Amino acid sequence: MSIARRILYLVALLLFSSRLQAAVMVSPVIIDAYQVERGSAFTVTMMNPKTYPLDVALEWGWFTMSSDGTVLLDEKAAPELDWLYLSNPVCHLEPESTTQIVITVNRADFTAVTPVLYISLQDPQSPVAVRVAVLFALSSEQPTRPVQIEFIESCQTDLRIRVTNPNPCHIYFDGVVELYRSAELIDEISITPKLVLAQSQRDISVPLNPGADQVIVTSDAAAADLMVVLPVEL
């Protein structure tokens, strides 16, 4: 995935609070990759800004996504998580230092998986335990089939569309929304990249310009453009 897409997705998926940011900084919080194979490696960087050491515990889990894009975390790690290898479940962070942990692919007998690496710490000078979830969206293949876009509903301010990913791997969907009034273009809105998991659907809302009577949604990932004629208020 491109750096631009990854950054845009991170904006939507930062799962740590301001309290956690003050305690330890983790980057990235999502790792996505195509054509993953045995031996592929991913690096997570943790920075301790404190003047005293911190210990963090590393645990595995899973995540899924609801049709509206909400991330659903599952804290129970399944046996299949030996797909990914982590050398040590505990990491010591020296004061005001940066530490990198490397996660490698131990097995690649999967098409698409969504593990979560939980990074938990107990700050000795804080009574509150904090945790960050690093999301992995890994695919051993690349997408070969176009997505389908369909209209769901509209209101005065939003248009809702549904994106169906038929591929056995995760994809990012982005595109452009063109708004017309009396056949004249009045606005153009970019759809920032949205993660759509393998063989799943995701509903996306895009803003509407008051007075628009026609919407065209285009995307390089789609089989065809979507045109929606909106009701005109009298």
Side-chain angles (χ1 to χ4, degrees):
M1 300 295 176
S2 70
I3 294 176
R5 290 188 174 191
R6 181 169 299 169
I7 291 174
L8 288 168
Y9 190 53
L10 289 182
V11 171
L13 284 181
L14 285 175
L15 298 178
F16 49 87
S17 65
S18 59
R19 179 177 292 141
L20 177 57
Q21 291 179 2
V24 63
M25 300 176 188
V26 178
S27 177
V29 291
I30 182 169
I31 294 174
D32 57 277
Y34 289 138
Q35 295 183 306
V36 172
E37 58 186 8
R38 183 178 179 182
S40 297
F42 309 100
T43 301
V44 175
T45 300
M46 297 181 291
M47 188 181 80
N48 175 17
K50 303 292 187 180
T51 57
Y52 49 88
L54 293 171
D55 289 318
V56 298
L58 308 172
E59 299 176 291
W60 288 109
W62 291 102
F63 84 92
T64 58
M65 295 180 69
S66 63
S67 61
D68 66 359
T70 301
V71 173
L72 305 174
L73 298 176
D74 184 351
E75 298 185 9
K76 296 181 179 179
E80 290 84 357
L81 276 174
D82 64 355
W83 281 322
L84 298 180
Y85 174 73
L86 184 66
S87 60
N88 197 331
V90 177
C91 184
H92 181 75
L93 305 180
E94 294 292 343
E96 300 178 330
S97 67
T98 298
T99 300
Q100 292 185 327
I101 57 173
V102 178
I103 297 96
T104 56
V105 177
N106 188 45
R107 293 166 39 207
D109 54 342
F110 59 81
T111 303
V113 290
T114 53
V116 174
L117 178 63
Y118 291 110
I119 301 175
S120 305
L121 69 93
Q122 178 68 60
D123 188 329
Q125 297 188 19
S126 172
V128 180
V130 291
R131 183 174 71 169
V132 62
V134 179
L135 309 183
F136 289 77
L138 306 179
S139 304
S140 60
E141 301 180 5
Q142 285 190 316
T144 58
R145 300 173 59 187
V147 304
Q148 303 293 326
I149 314 173
E150 60 181 306
F151 168 70
I152 300 179
E153 62 181 1
S154 65
C155 63
Q156 291 184 343
T157 58
D158 293 278
L159 174 78
R160 197 151 65 98
I161 61 175
R162 175 164 294 160
V163 178
T164 300
N165 175 19
N167 292 282
C169 56
H170 312 309
I171 62 105
Y172 273 85
F173 174 83
D174 59 6
V176 175
V177 180
E178 296 178 339
L179 303 174
Y180 292 85
R181 181 189 298 139
S182 301
E184 291 188 9
L185 180 67
I186 60 173
D187 202 358
E188 189 173 277
I189 302 169
S190 296
I191 301 175
T192 57
K194 313 289 185 183
L195 178 65
V196 187
L197 297 184
Q199 297 176 327
S200 71
Q201 295 179 326
R202 178 163 178 182
D203 296 347
I204 299 171
S205 293
V206 295
L208 289 180
N209 190 308
D213 56 24
Q214 187 181 80
V215 179
I216 298 178
V217 181
T218 62
S219 173
D220 292 340
D225 296 344
L226 172 68
M227 184 178 72
V228 179
V229 177
L230 302 173
V232 178
E233 293 187 5
L234 302 177

